[in-house]
């Protein structure tokens, strides 16, 4: 499903924590406000929100997940509810705004074409370094952070990003 391209959350999933902020025993308005603050903070840092989630139908410990704060966020329509047991923020429904999603895919294609016209990079190439930052042996979050740091360093130095 298209939501999997944007987030791994599904209806019935329960968010227990966002960026180290616990949702247990909070009211729905409090949790939504806390979640929106986490999204704003992560967006300002150029990263996704780190979540702890109890997946629907799995009665184990929470797993880690991420919630997008970039253009993907505009594609998501999420409805929340309170968990009956007070454990956190329940995903009641999650869907895609088709117009926003189509616009995002068109922009992504346009960006890819622009990169292709400016570099020799091609789809399938592996980039192991960006500036002075390694992109090897890292999770996606760490890779994104290191890439944004390298890009920021290049902008400050007014030079091209070395890959």
């Amino acid at each position: 499903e298209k939501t999997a391209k944007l987030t791994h959350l599904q209806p019935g999933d329960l968010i227990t924590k966002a960026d180290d902020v616990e949702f247990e025993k909070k009211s729905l308005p409090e949790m939504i406000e806390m979640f929106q603050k986490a999204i704003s903070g992560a967006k300002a840092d150029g990263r996704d929100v780190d979540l702890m989630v109890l997946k629907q139908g799995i009665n184990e410990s929470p797993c880690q997940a991420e919630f997008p704060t970039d253009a993907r966020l505009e594609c998501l329509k999420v409805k929340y509810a309170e968990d009956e047991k007070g454990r956190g923020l329940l995903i009641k429904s999650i869907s895609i705004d088709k117009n926003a999603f189509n616009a995002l895919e068109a922009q992504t294609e346009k960006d890819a074409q622009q990169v292709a016209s400016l570099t020799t990079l091609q789809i399938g190439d592996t980039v192991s370094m960006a500036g002075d930052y390694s992109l090897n042996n890292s999770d996606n979050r760490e890779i994104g952070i290191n890439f944004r740091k390298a890009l920021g360093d290049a902008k400050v130095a007014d030079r091209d990003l070395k890959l």
Side-chain angles (χ1 to χ4, degrees), residues 44 86 115 133 146-147 154 159:
V115 167
Y133 299 92
N146 285 344
F147 188 80
R159 60 178 163 74

CSV table of all heavy atoms in Angstrom, one decimal, residues 44 86 115 133 146-147 154 159:
chain,number,residue,atom,x,y,z
A,44,ALA,N,12.6,20.9,12.3
A,44,ALA,CA,13.6,21.9,12.4
A,44,ALA,C,15.0,21.3,12.4
A,44,ALA,O,15.9,22.0,11.9
A,44,ALA,CB,13.4,22.7,13.7
A,86,GLY,N,-4.7,3.6,28.4
A,86,GLY,CA,-3.9,4.8,28.7
A,86,GLY,C,-2.4,4.6,28.4
A,86,GLY,O,-1.6,5.2,29.0
A,115,VAL,N,19.2,16.0,-10.6
A,115,VAL,CA,20.5,15.5,-10.1
A,115,VAL,C,21.2,14.8,-11.2
A,115,VAL,O,22.4,14.9,-11.4
A,115,VAL,CB,20.2,14.5,-8.9
A,115,VAL,CG1,21.4,13.7,-8.6
A,115,VAL,CG2,19.7,15.3,-7.7
A,133,TYR,N,31.8,13.0,5.9
A,133,TYR,CA,31.0,12.1,6.7
A,133,TYR,C,30.8,10.7,6.0
A,133,TYR,O,30.5,10.7,4.8
A,133,TYR,CB,29.6,12.7,6.9
A,133,TYR,CG,29.7,14.0,7.7
A,133,TYR,CD1,29.9,15.2,7.0
A,133,TYR,CD2,29.7,14.0,9.1
A,133,TYR,CE1,30.0,16.4,7.7
A,133,TYR,CE2,29.8,15.2,9.8
A,133,TYR,CZ,30.0,16.4,9.1
A,133,TYR,OH,30.1,17.6,9.8
A,146,ASN,N,24.0,12.5,8.6
A,146,ASN,CA,25.4,12.8,8.0
A,146,ASN,C,25.3,13.5,6.7
A,146,ASN,O,26.1,14.4,6.4
A,146,ASN,CB,26.1,11.5,8.0
A,146,ASN,CG,26.6,11.0,9.3
A,146,ASN,OD1,26.6,11.7,10.3
A,146,ASN,ND2,27.0,9.7,9.4
A,147,PHE,N,24.4,13.1,5.8
A,147,PHE,CA,24.3,13.7,4.5
A,147,PHE,C,23.9,15.2,4.7
A,147,PHE,O,24.5,16.0,4.0
A,147,PHE,CB,23.3,13.0,3.6
A,147,PHE,CG,23.3,13.5,2.2
A,147,PHE,CD1,24.2,13.0,1.3
A,147,PHE,CD2,22.3,14.4,1.8
A,147,PHE,CE1,24.2,13.5,0.0
A,147,PHE,CE2,22.3,14.9,0.5
A,147,PHE,CZ,23.3,14.4,-0.4
A,154,ALA,N,29.0,22.1,3.0
A,154,ALA,CA,29.3,22.5,1.6
A,154,ALA,C,28.7,23.9,1.4
A,154,ALA,O,29.3,24.8,0.7
A,154,ALA,CB,28.9,21.5,0.6
A,159,ARG,N,30.9,25.6,-1.6
A,159,ARG,CA,31.5,24.7,-2.6
A,159,ARG,C,30.6,23.6,-2.9
A,159,ARG,O,29.6,23.4,-2.2
A,159,ARG,CB,32.8,24.2,-2.0
A,159,ARG,CG,32.7,23.4,-0.7
A,159,ARG,CD,34.0,22.9,-0.2
A,159,ARG,NE,34.0,22.5,1.2
A,159,ARG,CZ,33.4,21.4,1.7
A,159,ARG,NH1,32.8,20.6,0.9
A,159,ARG,NH2,33.5,21.2,3.0
